[in-house]
Amino acid sequence: MIDYTPLFKAYVKGELDEFYDVMYPGLLLFAAKTLGDSLSYMAEDCVQDVIVHTYINRMRFESALHWRRHLLLAIYHRAMKMVRHKNVCDSNITAVSEEKLCRDISYQLIKQETLDTLYAAIETLPQEYREIFDLSFEQGLRNPEIAAMLNIAQITVKKRKAKMIEMLRRKLGDISADDLIIILLAAKIGGGKSSDCQVVTCA
């Protein structure tokens, strides 16, 4: 799991590069999923509003955990406000009990921890494997397209994909390759195609 303390300390000092590399993509995804398909285009505005407010008040946070929970809760409530304002929310949203809200947020915190860890792991990939990741999962290209773009053989693409998945698995605690692919696709990173899943696991 990620140690958020160095990120928090850098954030307090005004050093935001690592925060944007590691946490920002996951926060955008969290906001988009909370907003729903019809309002997901507002995710960046939602997250940026919270980041600005949090940054202004950054000296008030007692710990990295306090800071991170505030970011997620603030994004959640900001997104819900946007949903209600646009009148596209389910009619029962205002009737959600406090207990259910706490359960939902606790689940999202755990889920977000996994995504943050994933993005941090992706940042550490060697360039040739990050390149494969970008083209495959972020841009959603198929193996023949990647091979043509990089001017390499398709078998090389397959081998690099398999190696990339293995490196990410180890960084995430040796989860199964299938579970990792599910996480990547569920995160909708670049709209990866489910038809690529079997190719990714090829040796």
Side-chain angles (χ1 to χ4, degrees), residues 25-172:
L27 295 177
L28 278 181
L29 179 63
F30 177 53
K33 288 184 177 295
T34 305
L35 287 164
D37 291 340
S38 60
L39 286 178
S40 60
Y41 69 93
M42 299 179 70
E44 189 167 6
D45 288 341
C46 175
V47 174
Q48 288 290 3
D49 286 348
V50 170
I51 289 175
V52 169
H53 182 268
T54 303
Y55 183 76
I56 291 172
N57 296 281
R58 65 191 184 280
M59 303 304 294
R60 298 182 182 181
F61 298 105
E62 300 173 355
S63 66
L65 178 62
H66 181 204
W67 164 69
R68 181 171 172 273
R69 285 182 177 269
H70 171 83
L71 281 169
L72 290 173
L73 290 173
I75 289 170
Y76 182 88
H77 289 299
R78 174 67 175 158
M80 286 295 96
K81 183 177 180 180
M82 289 179 170
V83 169
R84 286 192 291 267
H85 181 70
K86 291 294 184 179
N87 295 318
V88 295
C89 179
D90 185 282
S91 60
N92 292 325
I93 187 66
T94 57
V96 175
S97 68
E98 187 68 22
E99 181 181 355
K100 183 178 185 304
L101 180 61
C102 289
R103 287 201 307 269
D104 289 346
I105 291 175
S106 294
Y107 169 75
Q108 291 296 348
L109 287 172
I110 295 171
K111 185 176 179 180
Q112 197 63 37
E113 180 90 20
T114 301
L115 289 173
D116 287 347
T117 304
L118 171 62
Y119 285 116
I122 291 167
E123 287 298 317
T124 67
L125 289 174
Q127 178 60 33
E128 61 181 353
Y129 297 107
R130 177 58 196 265
E131 191 172 44
I132 292 291
F133 176 87
D134 289 341
L135 294 173
S136 180
F137 285 99
E138 293 189 346
Q139 297 185 37
L141 300 182
R142 297 181 182 278
N143 288 348
E145 297 171 314
I146 296 173
M149 183 172 291
L150 299 180
N151 195 28
I152 58 178
Q154 288 188 48
I155 188 63
T156 302
V157 174
K158 291 180 181 181
K159 288 181 177 180
R160 288 184 185 178
K161 270 191 181 182
K163 181 65 175 178
M164 175 197 73
I165 292 294
E166 182 62 24
M167 287 189 289
L168 290 177
R169 280 183 59 212
R170 290 177 181 174
K171 292 178 183 295
L172 293 174

